[in-house]
Amino acid sequence: MELNFVISILDRAKADSMTSICNDIGLPLVITLLGRGTATSEQLSLYGLEATEKAVVATVADGEKTKQLIKSAKRKMFIDIPGNGVMMAIPVKSVGGGRTLAYLTNNTTPDKNVPEMNFEHELILVILNQSYMDDVMDAARSVGAAGGTVLHAKGTGAQYAKKFLGVSLASEKEVILIAAKASEKADIMKAIVEQAGPGTPAGAITFSLPISAVAGLRNVDRD
């Protein structure tokens, strides 16, 4: 059975509209996280803009409802037009228990179909020390990354991370989400590690997740 963790990144003022679309489709679990854009202060000043407050609306949907959700967001919120947000579906490999699966799928009987996984895009997650967002994004942009969304976080990691990586996880953190073409992912991650990785003040740790469907990246979206 195909199941996706669907993330929508959009202006904070539009979060309620996205939540309403999720509710209309009948998705039982919808959560909203608050973040901000990654444009530098120099870029904002150049164009006379203010820092953009972002929201990350996340839900879990089966394959059919994932398509419905993306289609509705394109039709009602023009999510596929640059500047209106980005949506991405991340495949869920397993679920903890039958009752959880029943809750997430509204008691739909699981089928035996194995979804075809064609990952043209990946979601890069970067965990870094607070206040070093520009270091990470400068590194990512140097090899073609378009931008990202940053979330505030609190680390609760074990001390061995500091011993082996020189990174203290138990401190104020930021998490940056960067959607990228799969072909560009390795270069972006390499640049971040080399310029802002463990051993630097940013102390960035990065990994990626596959994206099975995406909307809002008009220059690479072929849907």
Side-chain angles (χ1 to χ4, degrees), residues 105-137:
T105 61
N106 290 320
N107 289 310
T108 302
T109 302
D111 57 47
K112 301 298 182 179
N113 294 330
V114 178
E116 181 180 350
M117 297 298 183
N118 181 23
F119 304 131
E120 296 183 3
H121 304 87
E122 296 197 30
L123 177 64
I124 300 172
L125 283 84
V126 189
I127 303 170
L128 62 144
N129 294 326
Q130 190 176 20
S131 302
Y132 289 94
M133 176 194 75
D134 287 347
D135 291 12
V136 170
M137 289 308 304

Side-chain angles (χ1 to χ4, degrees), residues 46-197:
L46 178 63
Y47 295 104
L49 301 175
E50 296 181 355
T52 306
E53 299 295 323
K54 296 292 185 181
V56 178
V57 180
T59 186
V60 177
D62 62 24
E64 184 58 35
K65 288 191 174 181
T66 296
K67 294 177 182 177
Q68 292 178 26
L69 179 58
I70 293 176
K71 183 178 181 179
S72 294
K74 286 182 176 181
R75 186 177 69 252
K76 297 179 180 179
M77 299 182 65
F78 307 104
I79 203 74
D80 57 335
I81 297 176
N84 287 333
V86 177
M87 294 184 71
M88 58 198 81
I90 301 168
V92 173
K93 185 176 181 181
S94 59
V95 172
R99 294 179 65 182
T100 301
L101 180 61
Y103 167 68
L104 294 175
T105 61
N106 290 320
N107 289 310
T108 302
T109 302
D111 57 47
K112 301 298 182 179
N113 294 330
V114 178
E116 181 180 350
M117 297 298 183
N118 181 23
F119 304 131
E120 296 183 3
H121 304 87
E122 296 197 30
L123 177 64
I124 300 172
L125 283 84
V126 189
I127 303 170
L128 62 144
N129 294 326
Q130 190 176 20
S131 302
Y132 289 94
M133 176 194 75
D134 287 347
D135 291 12
V136 170
M137 289 308 304
D138 286 347
R141 290 191 181 100
S142 71
V143 289
T149 299
V150 60
L151 307 172
H152 181 72
K154 174 71 175 181
T156 58
Q159 289 303 307
Y160 64 76
K162 186 172 184 179
K163 177 180 178 181
F164 288 100
L165 298 175
V167 176
S168 175
L169 293 182
S171 60
E172 297 298 314
K173 295 290 179 183
E174 290 175 331
V175 179
I176 298 178
L177 310 178
I178 302 172
K181 291 182 180 179
S183 59
E184 298 174 348
K185 177 259 303 182
D187 289 340
I188 294 172
M189 294 179 68
K190 180 180 179 182
I192 291 172
V193 170
E194 291 179 346
Q195 300 178 42

